[in-house]
Amino acid sequence: MTVLVTGGAGYIGSHMVHALVEAGEGVVVIDNLSTGFSAFLPEGVPLFIGDAGDENLVAGVIAQHKIESIIHFAGSIVVPDSVRDPLGYYRNNTMTTRSLLNAAVKGGVNRFIFSSTAAVYGNPDQVPVPEHAPTRPASPYGSSKLMTEIMLHDVASAHGMNYVVLRYFNVAGADPKLRTGQSTPAATHLIKVACETALGKRPKMDVFGTDYPTPDGTCIRDYIHVSDLARAHSSALAYLRRGGKSMTFNCGYGRGASVFEVVDAVKRASGRDFPVEISGSRPGDPAALVANVDRIRAILDWRPQFQDLDTIVAHALAWERRLPGKQTAVA
């Protein structure tokens, strides 16, 4: 049985590919390498350079490698970019998945795992946020993912496909063995930005808003280690293979850390102080976004191994030190 991983050379996708290979799975990757890196894939894993929305390419891969499951990571993920370029996000996220699903249905693939996001909830009424909370995306990014969830539900109902939707909260960290990590230039992830600043790759970092109704005034987010997230996908795949019904799961730890807590953790791990500039709040940023994880813990055989902010930061910092760029002490 072979698993197709779209976006498998990207940040989360490459961790997934390593996890599958370690488990003895057959794996094939499709990635256009717009944000991914072929060097981060395990040796010997077939890589098809192209778009996950290219139905001819996907159909050929499904037939050639006898694909039985698809794990779909490929897509665009930066919220401010989606506001500037909504049509690009609907193309890269929603339309690409429509084409991928069409090829999957024609190729007889009946298991599908989709990389979704907590952004589908928008500014939630309830924290921690359960999966049944109202979905009110506040950005084209969140809307493009929610549209895909709806489409996946309808396709699965019509064609006998079983799926798992995993709604990520804030993914961070890096492979503990330092085989792969977050490497995209100009990344916007808070922990990566703080690590880059600690190593002198940025002159400063911004904190957007200190007037939220939280203990220290900064936003609170549920940070999940990328390796634990990959493990959640493996558990979802096992669940579907056991005949599990289609289901949506939050992926987080059920507790959050504030922006200032993240900054302090990076300063501790790096042993360096660095400039932090306070900027205005960003429109649409929820004060707190934390996952209710009762469902995933009850239904999937998933046991996180790195649910500690200091561990997540330590792995992210270790990976950042391996990447090129200026690394100097900051007063």
Side-chain angles (χ1 to χ4, degrees):
M1 296 188 290
T2 304
V3 180
L4 168 60
V5 181
T6 70
Y11 173 40
I12 305 171
S14 60
H15 285 82
M16 183 76 252
V17 173
H18 279 282
L20 289 167
V21 169
E22 285 182 343
E25 299 274 2
V27 187
V28 177
V29 171
I30 292 178
D31 198 303
N32 63 12
L33 301 184
S34 60
T35 57
F37 300 87
S38 59
F40 297 158
L41 291 172
E43 187 175 348
V45 170
L47 167 63
F48 292 85
I49 300 175
D51 197 290
D54 181 340
E55 291 190 38
N56 290 329
L57 170 63
V58 175
V61 171
I62 289 173
Q64 179 184 349
H65 291 273
K66 298 180 173 59
I67 301 300
E68 53 90 13
S69 301
I70 294 175
I71 305 179
H72 179 37
F73 294 100
S76 302
I77 63 168
V78 181
V79 171
D81 286 352
S82 78
V83 175
R84 288 189 291 270
D85 182 22
L87 291 175
Y89 270 66
Y90 293 126
R91 180 191 62 236
N92 292 347
N93 293 347
T94 312
M95 293 175 65
T96 289
T97 310
R98 183 264 169 209
S99 298
L100 176 64
L101 283 169
N102 196 43
V105 168
K106 290 179 177 179
V109 178
N110 58 12
R111 284 185 285 268
F112 197 98
I113 299 174
F114 176 56
S115 163
S116 192
T117 171
V120 301
Y121 297 119
N123 200 334
D125 300 324
Q126 177 182 351
V127 179
V129 191
E131 288 88 350
H132 59 75
T135 47
R136 299 181 300 234
S139 68
Y141 166 60
S143 296
S144 71
K145 290 288 192 176
L146 182 59
M147 287 179 181
T148 304
E149 288 190 20
I150 295 167
M151 180 171 55
L152 179 56
H153 172 272
D154 293 342
V155 170
S157 298
H159 298 286
M161 178 184 288
N162 285 334
Y163 67 86
V164 165
V165 168
L166 296 175
R167 291 175 175 167
Y168 308 167
F169 280 65
N170 285 58
V171 188
D175 174 41
K177 298 178 182 178
L178 297 181
R179 296 168 298 185
T180 184
Q182 170 59 272
S183 305
T184 309
T188 58
H189 300 69
L190 174 64
I191 289 178
K192 181 174 176 63
V193 168
C195 288
E196 288 178 338
T197 311
L199 297 177
K201 297 182 181 184
R202 293 175 184 248
K204 65 176 181 65
M205 67 169 289
D206 292 303
V207 171
F208 296 100
T210 58
D211 56 353
Y212 290 94
T214 60
D216 64 16
T218 65
C219 291
I220 291 174
R221 297 292 183 266
D222 190 339
Y223 294 93
I224 179 172
H225 194 291
V226 63
S227 294
D228 281 340
L229 182 60
R231 207 166 281 111
H233 288 73
S234 296
S235 298
L237 181 60
Y239 164 80
L240 289 176
R241 286 174 173 168
R242 292 194 302 268
K245 66 178 182 178
S246 296
M247 189 75 71
T248 298
F249 298 99
N250 286 336
C251 288
Y253 294 142
R255 62 175 181 270
S258 73
V259 174
F260 282 155
E261 286 173 329
V262 168
V263 170
D264 288 345
V266 174
K267 288 182 176 181
R268 284 196 305 272
S270 65
R272 297 175 179 176
D273 197 4
F274 49 85
V276 176
E277 187 169 292
I278 307 302
S279 300
S281 304
R282 294 179 296 194
D285 263 357
L289 195 56
V290 177
N292 180 312
V293 292
D294 292 345
R295 180 184 291 179
I296 191 170
R297 290 180 180 272
I299 296 175
L300 295 191
D301 181 21
W302 180 60
R303 301 292 179 269
Q305 295 184 4
F306 304 111
Q307 50 183 335
D308 173 80
L309 179 62
D310 287 331
T311 300
I312 294 171
V313 165
H315 290 168
L317 191 64
W319 175 256
E320 197 60 47
R321 285 194 170 107
R322 292 174 62 93
L323 297 177
K326 182 181 177 184
Q327 299 191 21
T328 59
V330 180

